[in-house]
Amino acid sequence: MSRMARAATTSDVFNAIAEPQRRDILVLLRAGERPVTELAQQLGMSQPGASKHLRVLREVGLVRDRKAGKQRLYGLDARGLRGVHEWTGGFERFFNESFDRLDAYVQNLMQTQQEE
C-alpha cells in the first residue's frame, strides 16, 4: 500500500505539495537557488530527508537542479505550479462572494448599533 502512495506522490503535483516540508522547501527556493545542505539546515531536517523531498519535487517538475562546482544547487520551477494556480483560481469567485456577504453583514451590524 505504501508503494502506491509513493507512486502517487511522485507523479502528481497536488500530492507532492500536500506534504508541509515540501511546501516549506518551495518557499525557501522562491528566494533563489540553494544547496541541499542549506535547505536541510534551515528546515531542521537531515540532508538525506531533504534530498528525498527534493527528488519528489524534481520528479513532478517543481524543482530543477544544476551542478555548481562541487555542489548541486536546487531552484524553483514555478511553471509546474500552473495547474495548481488554475485550479485554486476557480474558487476565487466563491471567496469573493463570501467576503462580500461578510462585509454586508458587518455594515448592517454597524448601522444597527448606530441606530440604537
Side-chain angles (χ1 to χ4, degrees), residues 9-98:
T9 298
T10 59
S11 64
D12 180 82
V13 171
F14 288 90
N15 285 328
I17 64 172
E19 212 294 319
Q21 290 180 313
R22 291 190 199 124
R23 291 194 306 268
D24 292 343
I25 289 172
L26 295 175
V27 168
L28 288 173
L29 292 178
R30 283 193 312 204
E33 293 180 320
R34 296 173 193 260
V36 66
T37 51
E38 184 180 327
L39 290 167
Q41 182 181 18
Q42 289 188 339
L43 295 170
M45 66 172 58
S46 69
Q47 189 266 327
S51 291
K52 286 180 183 179
H53 286 308
L54 285 164
R55 184 173 58 248
V56 170
L57 293 169
R58 191 176 65 237
E59 287 174 1
V60 299
L62 296 178
V63 167
R64 56 180 159 48
D65 64 319
R66 68 178 179 90
K67 279 289 253 188
K70 293 184 177 185
Q71 64 182 355
R72 184 166 298 280
L73 295 178
Y74 293 86
L76 177 65
D77 189 348
R79 293 175 299 180
L81 289 171
R82 184 178 313 253
V84 174
H85 175 70
E86 290 170 355
W87 184 80
T88 56
F91 294 94
E92 186 175 352
R93 192 184 89 212
F94 168 78
F95 288 118
N96 287 340
E97 289 172 357
S98 296

